Protein backbone atom coordinates (compact mmCIF):
# COMPACT_ATOMS: atom_id res chain seq x y z
CA UNK A 1 0.00 0.00 0.00
CA UNK A 2 2.87 2.40 0.77
CA UNK A 3 3.80 2.60 -2.88
CA UNK A 4 0.48 4.12 -3.93
CA UNK A 5 -0.06 6.91 -1.42
CA UNK A 6 -0.83 9.63 -4.00
CA UNK A 7 1.42 10.91 -6.74
CA UNK A 8 3.95 12.18 -4.20
CA UNK A 9 4.76 8.61 -3.24
CA UNK A 10 5.91 7.65 -6.71
CA UNK A 11 9.09 5.62 -6.85
CA UNK A 12 10.98 8.48 -8.48
CA UNK A 13 10.80 10.64 -5.38
CA UNK A 14 13.11 10.65 -2.39
CA UNK A 15 11.91 9.02 0.84
CA UNK A 16 11.17 12.22 2.73
CA UNK A 17 9.15 13.62 -0.20
CA UNK A 18 6.95 10.53 -0.11
CA UNK A 19 5.53 11.56 3.24
CA UNK A 20 4.03 14.77 1.90
CA UNK A 21 0.85 13.04 0.71
CA UNK A 22 -2.43 14.87 0.27
CA UNK A 23 -4.90 11.99 -0.15
CA UNK A 24 -6.10 11.43 3.42
CA UNK A 25 -7.92 8.22 2.50
CA UNK A 26 -4.65 6.45 1.75
CA UNK A 27 -2.67 7.67 4.74
CA UNK A 28 -2.00 5.30 7.59
CA UNK A 29 -1.92 8.21 10.03
CA UNK A 30 -3.80 11.50 9.88
CA UNK A 31 -4.37 14.39 12.22
CA UNK A 32 -7.79 14.88 13.71
CA UNK A 33 -9.24 18.26 14.47
CA UNK A 34 -9.53 18.96 18.17
CA UNK A 35 -11.72 22.01 18.83
CA UNK A 36 -10.17 24.68 20.98
CA UNK A 37 -13.45 24.91 22.94
CA UNK A 38 -14.86 21.63 24.19
CA UNK A 39 -17.94 20.76 26.19
CA UNK A 40 -20.57 20.48 23.50
CA UNK A 41 -23.04 17.67 24.06
CA UNK A 42 -23.03 14.82 21.63
CA UNK A 43 -26.12 14.40 19.49
CA UNK A 44 -27.33 10.85 19.97
CA UNK A 45 -28.22 8.80 16.87
CA UNK A 46 -31.82 8.54 15.76
CA UNK A 47 -33.92 5.59 16.88
CA UNK A 48 -33.61 2.56 14.62
CA UNK A 49 -36.45 2.90 12.10
CA UNK A 50 -36.99 -0.87 12.05
CA UNK A 51 -37.98 -0.84 15.70
CA UNK A 52 -41.68 -0.23 16.46
CA UNK A 53 -41.94 2.94 18.49
CA UNK A 54 -45.03 4.76 19.65
CA UNK A 55 -44.44 8.44 18.94
CA UNK A 56 -45.41 10.87 21.72
CA UNK A 57 -46.10 13.53 19.10
CA UNK A 58 -49.33 11.90 17.97
CA UNK A 59 -50.54 10.75 21.36
CA UNK A 60 -53.31 12.38 23.35
CA UNK A 61 -51.22 12.07 26.50
CA UNK A 62 -47.90 13.64 27.34
CA UNK A 63 -44.97 11.28 27.27
CA UNK A 64 -43.51 11.09 30.79
CA UNK A 65 -39.90 11.71 29.66
CA UNK A 66 -40.57 14.68 27.41
CA UNK A 67 -39.85 18.10 28.88
CA UNK A 68 -40.19 21.58 27.48
CA UNK A 69 -42.98 23.25 25.51
CA UNK A 70 -46.10 21.23 24.79
CA UNK A 71 -46.36 19.71 21.33
CA UNK A 72 -49.20 21.01 19.20
CA UNK A 73 -51.08 18.14 17.52
CA UNK A 74 -50.56 18.03 13.80
CA UNK A 75 -47.18 19.76 13.85
CA UNK A 76 -43.91 18.06 12.96
CA UNK A 77 -40.98 18.45 15.34
CA UNK A 78 -37.55 17.63 13.90
CA UNK A 79 -35.69 14.83 15.62
CA UNK A 80 -32.29 15.52 17.20
CA UNK A 81 -30.61 13.52 14.46
CA UNK A 82 -31.89 15.92 11.82
CA UNK A 83 -30.35 18.97 13.52
CA UNK A 84 -27.68 20.56 11.39
CA UNK A 85 -24.24 19.82 12.74
CA UNK A 86 -21.56 22.48 12.82
CA UNK A 87 -19.19 22.07 9.88
CA UNK A 88 -15.67 20.98 10.76
CA UNK A 89 -12.87 23.45 10.03
CA UNK A 90 -10.66 22.69 7.01
CA UNK A 91 -8.02 20.10 7.73
CA UNK A 92 -4.70 21.58 8.77
CA UNK A 93 -6.14 25.02 9.58
CA UNK A 94 -6.43 25.09 13.37
CA UNK A 95 -3.46 24.65 15.70
CA UNK A 96 -3.72 22.14 18.52
CA UNK A 97 -1.55 24.35 20.76
CA UNK A 98 -2.93 27.21 22.85
CA UNK A 99 -1.50 30.71 22.54
CA UNK A 100 0.69 31.30 25.63
CA UNK A 101 1.20 34.72 27.27
CA UNK A 102 3.65 36.96 25.47
CA UNK A 103 5.97 36.73 28.47
CA UNK A 104 6.33 32.94 28.08
CA UNK A 105 9.80 31.70 27.16
CA UNK A 106 8.48 29.17 24.63
CA UNK A 107 5.41 28.52 22.54
CA UNK A 108 5.51 24.75 22.86
CA UNK A 109 6.96 23.42 19.59
CA UNK A 110 9.43 20.54 19.68
CA UNK A 111 11.56 22.56 17.24
CA UNK A 112 12.24 25.11 19.98
CA UNK A 113 13.79 22.38 22.12
CA UNK A 114 15.89 20.93 19.30
CA UNK A 115 17.16 24.14 17.68
CA UNK A 116 20.70 23.46 18.96
CA UNK A 117 20.70 19.95 17.46
CA UNK A 118 19.80 20.32 13.76
CA UNK A 119 20.05 16.61 12.97
CA UNK A 120 17.57 15.67 15.67
CA UNK A 121 15.31 18.48 14.54
CA UNK A 122 15.18 16.98 11.03
CA UNK A 123 14.25 13.59 12.45
CA UNK A 124 11.59 15.06 14.73
CA UNK A 125 9.82 17.01 11.98
CA UNK A 126 9.89 13.88 9.82
CA UNK A 127 7.85 12.19 12.54
CA UNK A 128 5.44 15.13 12.75
CA UNK A 129 4.45 14.97 9.08
CA UNK A 130 0.82 13.85 9.02
CA UNK A 131 1.00 12.83 12.68
CA UNK A 132 -0.16 14.63 15.81
CA UNK A 133 2.60 15.76 18.14
CA UNK A 134 1.17 13.89 21.12
CA UNK A 135 1.70 10.66 19.17
CA UNK A 136 4.93 11.50 17.34
CA UNK A 137 7.05 13.14 20.04
CA UNK A 138 7.13 10.23 22.53
CA UNK A 139 8.15 7.89 19.68
CA UNK A 140 10.85 10.35 18.61
CA UNK A 141 12.40 10.42 22.08
CA UNK A 142 12.26 6.64 22.31
CA UNK A 143 14.09 6.36 18.98
CA UNK A 144 16.72 8.89 20.05
CA UNK A 145 17.22 7.01 23.30
CA UNK A 146 18.08 3.88 21.35
CA UNK A 147 19.92 5.52 18.42
CA UNK A 148 21.21 8.85 19.74
CA UNK A 149 22.95 10.22 16.64
CA UNK A 150 23.42 9.92 12.88
CA UNK A 151 26.08 7.20 13.14
CA UNK A 152 23.86 4.96 15.25
CA UNK A 153 20.83 5.54 13.02
CA UNK A 154 22.78 4.90 9.81
CA UNK A 155 24.04 1.57 11.15
CA UNK A 156 20.71 0.47 12.64
CA UNK A 157 18.71 -2.46 11.32
CA UNK A 158 15.78 -0.94 9.36
CA UNK A 159 13.48 -3.62 10.74
CA UNK A 160 14.23 -2.46 14.28
CA UNK A 161 13.48 1.17 13.41
CA UNK A 162 10.27 0.23 11.58
CA UNK A 163 9.08 -1.80 14.55
CA UNK A 164 9.72 1.08 16.92
CA UNK A 165 8.02 3.77 14.82
CA UNK A 166 5.15 1.64 13.53
CA UNK A 167 2.55 3.53 15.65
CA UNK A 168 3.17 6.60 13.47
CA UNK A 169 2.14 4.90 10.24
CA UNK A 170 4.12 5.05 6.99
CA UNK A 171 6.89 3.44 9.03
CA UNK A 172 8.90 2.07 6.09
CA UNK A 173 8.91 5.47 4.36
CA UNK A 174 9.85 7.32 7.55
CA UNK A 175 12.61 4.81 8.25
CA UNK A 176 14.08 5.28 4.78
CA UNK A 177 13.96 9.06 5.19
CA UNK A 178 15.70 9.26 8.56
CA UNK A 179 18.36 6.73 7.57
CA UNK A 180 19.00 8.76 4.43
CA UNK A 181 19.35 11.84 6.63
CA UNK A 182 21.83 9.97 8.83
CA UNK A 183 24.02 8.66 6.00
CA UNK A 184 24.07 11.98 4.18
CA UNK A 185 24.74 13.91 7.38
CA UNK A 186 27.81 11.75 8.02
CA UNK A 187 29.20 12.13 4.49
CA UNK A 188 28.01 15.66 3.60
CA UNK A 189 26.79 17.62 6.61
CA UNK A 190 25.28 21.05 5.92
CA UNK A 191 27.90 23.78 5.62
CA UNK A 192 27.57 27.52 5.12
CA UNK A 193 29.43 27.65 1.79
CA UNK A 194 27.36 25.11 -0.13
CA UNK A 195 23.69 25.17 -1.12
CA UNK A 196 21.50 22.73 -3.06
CA UNK A 197 18.57 23.76 -5.22
CA UNK A 198 14.99 22.97 -4.23
CA UNK A 199 12.09 23.08 -6.67
CA UNK A 200 8.66 24.55 -5.88
CA UNK A 201 9.81 26.12 -2.64
CA UNK A 202 8.92 28.33 -0.95
CA UNK A 203 6.19 28.85 -3.58
CA UNK A 204 4.93 26.60 -6.38
CA UNK A 205 6.96 27.30 -9.51
CA UNK A 206 10.02 28.57 -7.62
CA UNK A 207 13.26 27.00 -8.78
CA UNK A 208 11.89 25.94 -12.16
CA UNK A 209 15.14 27.06 -13.81
CA UNK A 210 17.30 24.71 -11.68
CA UNK A 211 17.62 20.95 -11.20
CA UNK A 212 16.61 19.55 -7.82
CA UNK A 213 19.75 19.07 -5.75
CA UNK A 214 21.95 21.14 -8.08
CA UNK A 215 24.94 22.49 -6.17
CA UNK A 216 25.61 26.21 -5.65
CA UNK A 217 28.00 28.32 -3.64
CA UNK A 218 27.15 30.61 -0.73
CA UNK A 219 24.19 32.91 -1.07
CA UNK A 220 25.92 36.20 -0.33
CA UNK A 221 23.97 39.41 -0.17
CA UNK A 222 24.19 41.06 -3.61
CA UNK A 223 20.77 41.04 -5.28
CA UNK A 224 19.41 38.54 -2.77
CA UNK A 225 15.70 37.97 -2.92
CA UNK A 226 13.72 38.33 0.29
CA UNK A 227 12.29 34.95 1.18
CA UNK A 228 11.36 33.57 -2.18
CA UNK A 229 12.00 33.19 -5.87
CA UNK A 230 14.84 35.16 -7.49
CA UNK A 231 12.33 37.39 -9.24
CA UNK A 232 10.76 38.42 -5.91
CA UNK A 233 11.96 40.95 -3.38
CA UNK A 234 14.35 42.80 -5.71
CA UNK A 235 13.80 46.55 -5.51
CA UNK A 236 16.21 48.20 -7.93
CA UNK A 237 16.07 50.91 -10.63
CA UNK A 238 14.54 49.60 -13.88
CA UNK A 239 17.84 49.58 -15.74
CA UNK A 240 19.38 47.30 -13.08
CA UNK A 241 16.48 44.87 -12.60
CA UNK A 242 17.34 42.68 -15.59
CA UNK A 243 20.94 42.22 -14.48
CA UNK A 244 19.87 41.57 -10.89
CA UNK A 245 17.36 38.92 -11.94
CA UNK A 246 19.92 37.23 -14.17
CA UNK A 247 22.44 37.23 -11.32
CA UNK A 248 19.85 35.86 -8.92
CA UNK A 249 18.92 33.07 -11.30
CA UNK A 250 22.54 32.17 -11.91
CA UNK A 251 23.17 31.83 -8.19
CA UNK A 252 19.73 30.35 -7.40
CA UNK A 253 19.03 32.98 -4.77
CA UNK A 254 15.96 32.02 -2.76
CA UNK A 255 15.81 28.62 -4.49
CA UNK A 256 18.79 26.80 -2.97
CA UNK A 257 19.36 25.91 0.66
CA UNK A 258 22.11 24.39 2.75
CA UNK A 259 20.00 21.27 3.44
CA UNK A 260 18.62 20.90 -0.09
CA UNK A 261 20.61 17.69 -0.51
CA UNK A 262 18.86 16.24 2.56
CA UNK A 263 15.26 17.19 1.90
CA UNK A 264 12.98 18.88 -0.60
CA UNK A 265 10.05 18.92 1.85
CA UNK A 266 8.55 22.36 2.67
CA UNK A 267 7.72 21.66 6.32
CA UNK A 268 11.24 20.41 7.05
CA UNK A 269 12.81 23.32 5.16
CA UNK A 270 10.63 25.85 6.96
CA UNK A 271 11.50 24.38 10.37
CA UNK A 272 15.22 24.29 9.63
CA UNK A 273 15.27 27.82 8.23
CA UNK A 274 13.49 29.19 11.30
CA UNK A 275 15.47 27.39 13.98
CA UNK A 276 18.87 26.48 12.51
CA UNK A 277 19.93 28.52 9.48
CA UNK A 278 21.14 31.73 11.10
CA UNK A 279 23.46 29.84 13.44
CA UNK A 280 24.89 27.68 10.63
CA UNK A 281 25.62 30.77 8.52
CA UNK A 282 27.21 32.56 11.46
CA UNK A 283 24.71 35.40 11.29
CA UNK A 284 23.76 35.02 14.95
CA UNK A 285 24.38 32.72 17.92
CA UNK A 286 20.69 31.94 18.37
CA UNK A 287 17.70 31.53 16.07
CA UNK A 288 16.06 34.58 17.67
CA UNK A 289 18.84 36.75 16.24
CA UNK A 290 20.74 37.12 19.49
CA UNK A 291 24.48 37.47 19.09
CA UNK A 292 24.33 39.21 15.71
CA UNK A 293 26.97 41.87 15.17
CA UNK A 294 24.56 43.82 12.94
CA UNK A 295 22.05 45.89 14.94
CA UNK A 296 19.70 45.93 11.90
CA UNK A 297 19.87 42.14 11.43
CA UNK A 298 16.55 40.45 10.65
CA UNK A 299 16.51 36.78 11.71
CA UNK A 300 15.47 34.12 9.23
CA UNK A 301 12.21 33.30 11.01
CA UNK A 302 10.85 36.69 9.98
CA UNK A 303 11.11 35.73 6.29
CA UNK A 304 9.32 32.37 6.41
CA UNK A 305 5.70 31.90 5.26
CA UNK A 306 4.87 28.30 6.21
CA UNK A 307 1.72 26.40 5.36
CA UNK A 308 1.88 24.18 8.44
CA UNK A 309 -0.74 25.18 11.02
CA UNK A 310 1.56 24.83 14.04
CA UNK A 311 4.36 26.87 12.49
CA UNK A 312 1.82 29.51 11.50
CA UNK A 313 0.45 29.66 15.05
CA UNK A 314 4.01 29.91 16.40
CA UNK A 315 4.87 32.74 14.01
CA UNK A 316 1.69 34.62 14.94
CA UNK A 317 2.83 34.47 18.55
CA UNK A 318 6.39 35.49 17.72
CA UNK A 319 5.17 38.52 15.78
CA UNK A 320 2.80 39.42 18.62
CA UNK A 321 5.85 39.54 20.88
CA UNK A 322 7.45 41.95 18.42
CA UNK A 323 4.35 44.17 18.58
CA UNK A 324 2.71 43.11 15.32
CA UNK A 325 -0.39 41.26 14.12
CA UNK A 326 0.87 39.06 11.29
CA UNK A 327 -1.04 37.62 8.32
CA UNK A 328 0.26 34.08 7.57
CA UNK A 329 -1.03 34.19 3.98
CA UNK A 330 0.66 37.39 2.87
CA UNK A 331 3.24 38.12 5.56
CA UNK A 332 1.76 41.59 5.99
CA UNK A 333 1.69 43.15 9.45
CA UNK A 334 -0.20 45.79 11.37
CA UNK A 335 0.51 47.21 14.82
CA UNK A 336 -0.66 45.04 17.70
CA UNK A 337 -3.89 46.31 19.24
CA UNK A 338 -3.82 46.76 22.99
CA UNK A 339 -7.09 44.83 23.24
CA UNK A 340 -5.48 41.79 21.65
CA UNK A 341 -2.34 42.09 23.74
CA UNK A 342 -4.40 42.06 26.94
CA UNK A 343 -6.48 39.12 25.69
CA UNK A 344 -3.36 37.04 24.92
CA UNK A 345 -1.81 37.72 28.31
CA UNK A 346 -5.15 37.02 29.98
CA UNK A 347 -5.65 33.65 28.27
CA UNK A 348 -8.70 34.91 26.37
CA UNK A 349 -7.55 34.09 22.84
CA UNK A 350 -8.62 31.13 20.73
CA UNK A 351 -8.78 30.16 17.05
CA UNK A 352 -11.60 30.45 14.56
CA UNK A 353 -12.27 27.78 11.94
CA UNK A 354 -9.55 29.21 9.70
CA UNK A 355 -6.85 29.36 12.36
CA UNK A 356 -7.10 33.11 12.90
CA UNK A 357 -7.01 34.51 16.42
CA UNK A 358 -10.26 35.52 18.12
CA UNK A 359 -10.79 37.25 21.45
CA UNK A 360 -12.97 35.29 23.87
CA UNK A 361 -15.27 36.64 26.57
CA UNK A 362 -13.56 34.60 29.26
CA UNK A 363 -10.45 32.49 29.79
CA UNK A 364 -10.23 29.46 27.52
CA UNK A 365 -9.90 27.07 30.47
CA UNK A 366 -13.17 28.34 31.96
CA UNK A 367 -15.24 27.55 28.87
CA UNK A 368 -17.15 24.33 28.87
Amino acid sequence: MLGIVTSELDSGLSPEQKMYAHDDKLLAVSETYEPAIEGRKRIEPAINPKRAVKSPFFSSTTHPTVTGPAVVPGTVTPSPSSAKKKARPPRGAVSSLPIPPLSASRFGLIQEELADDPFRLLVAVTFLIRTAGKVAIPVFYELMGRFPGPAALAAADPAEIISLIRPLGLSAIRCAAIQKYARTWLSRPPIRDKRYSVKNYPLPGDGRHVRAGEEFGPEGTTGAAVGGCPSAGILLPPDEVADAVADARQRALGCAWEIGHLTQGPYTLDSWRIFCRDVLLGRATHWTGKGSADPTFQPEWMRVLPKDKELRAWLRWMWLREGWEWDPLTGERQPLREELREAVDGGRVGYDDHGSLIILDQQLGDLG
Side-chain angles (χ1 to χ4, degrees), residues 100-106 317 321 344-345:
L102 300 183
S103 59
S105 60
R106 290 184 178 180
W317 180 72
R321 297 177 73 187
V344 173
D345 287 335

Side-chain angles (χ1 to χ4, degrees), residues 95-335:
S95 171
S96 62
L97 298 174
I99 298 290
L102 300 183
S103 59
S105 60
R106 290 184 178 180
F107 182 82
L109 294 183
I110 185 66
Q111 290 95 320
E112 293 171 304
E113 299 179 23
L114 301 174
D116 294 333
D117 195 335
F119 176 77
R120 287 194 173 199
L121 183 142
L122 292 181
V123 175
V125 297
T126 300
F127 283 12
L128 288 168
I129 296 169
R130 298 292 184 172
T131 310
K134 63 184 179 182
V135 176
I137 293 173
V139 176
F140 163 75
Y141 279 120
E142 185 178 356
L143 179 77
M144 290 294 97
R146 192 174 303 183
F147 308 106
L153 270 175
D157 181 354
E160 189 174 357
I161 296 177
I162 289 172
S163 176
L164 193 152
I165 67 176
R166 194 175 303 278
L168 306 181
L170 302 176
S171 52
I173 293 175
R174 294 184 202 268
C175 174
I178 62 178
Q179 286 202 299
K180 179 211 168 188
Y181 285 161
R183 290 190 296 269
T184 307
W185 195 278
L186 292 172
S187 61
R188 290 186 297 158
I191 58 175
R192 68 178 68 182
D193 294 329
K194 192 170 293 187
R195 296 174 301 127
Y196 304 85
S197 58
V198 175
K199 300 184 76 66
N200 298 309
Y201 176 84
L203 299 173
D206 285 355
R208 57 183 175 271
H209 61 288
V210 298
R211 299 188 307 274
E214 186 177 353
E215 190 173 311
F216 292 88
E219 188 174 74
T221 56
T222 304
V226 178
C229 205
S231 59
I234 300 174
L235 300 176
L236 296 172
D239 58 339
E240 297 182 26
V241 169
D243 290 341
V245 171
D247 176 69
R249 286 182 178 275
Q250 184 176 1
R251 294 192 288 138
L253 297 181
C255 299
W257 310 92
E258 292 78 12
I259 62 165
H261 62 311
L262 287 161
T263 180
Q264 300 270 310
Y267 175 51
T268 308
L269 286 162
D270 286 341
S271 296
W272 180 83
R273 284 179 61 196
I274 290 171
F275 294 100
C276 303
R277 192 174 191 229
D278 283 335
V279 175
L280 175 70
L281 297 182
R283 296 170 172 171
T285 58
H286 193 265
W287 59 264
T288 57
K290 293 179 181 178
S292 174
D294 182 0
T296 64
F297 173 69
Q298 184 184 55
E300 186 78 13
W301 69 262
M302 292 184 173
R303 296 191 287 273
V304 179
L305 284 175
K307 291 184 172 59
D308 175 73
K309 60 185 175 63
E310 306 300 353
L311 287 180
R312 282 182 169 182
W314 178 86
L315 278 166
R316 281 186 188 276
W317 180 72
M318 287 294 295
W319 278 114
L320 289 174
R321 297 177 73 187
E322 297 288 325
W324 298 96
E325 297 178 32
W326 174 77
D327 186 334
L329 298 180
T330 65
E332 296 177 354
R333 297 168 290 163
Q334 62 182 17

Side-chain angles (χ1 to χ4, degrees), residues 31-78:
E31 294 174 347
T32 57
Y33 167 65
E34 298 177 359
I37 302 175
E38 299 180 351
R40 295 186 179 136
K41 295 181 180 179
R42 179 185 175 189
I43 299 177
E44 297 296 332
I47 299 174
N48 190 333
K50 295 183 180 179
R51 180 181 174 187
V53 177
K54 184 177 180 181
S55 171
F57 303 134
F58 300 97
S59 170
S60 59
T61 60
T62 303
H63 194 280
T65 60
V66 175
T67 60
V71 178
V72 179
T75 62
V76 178
T77 303

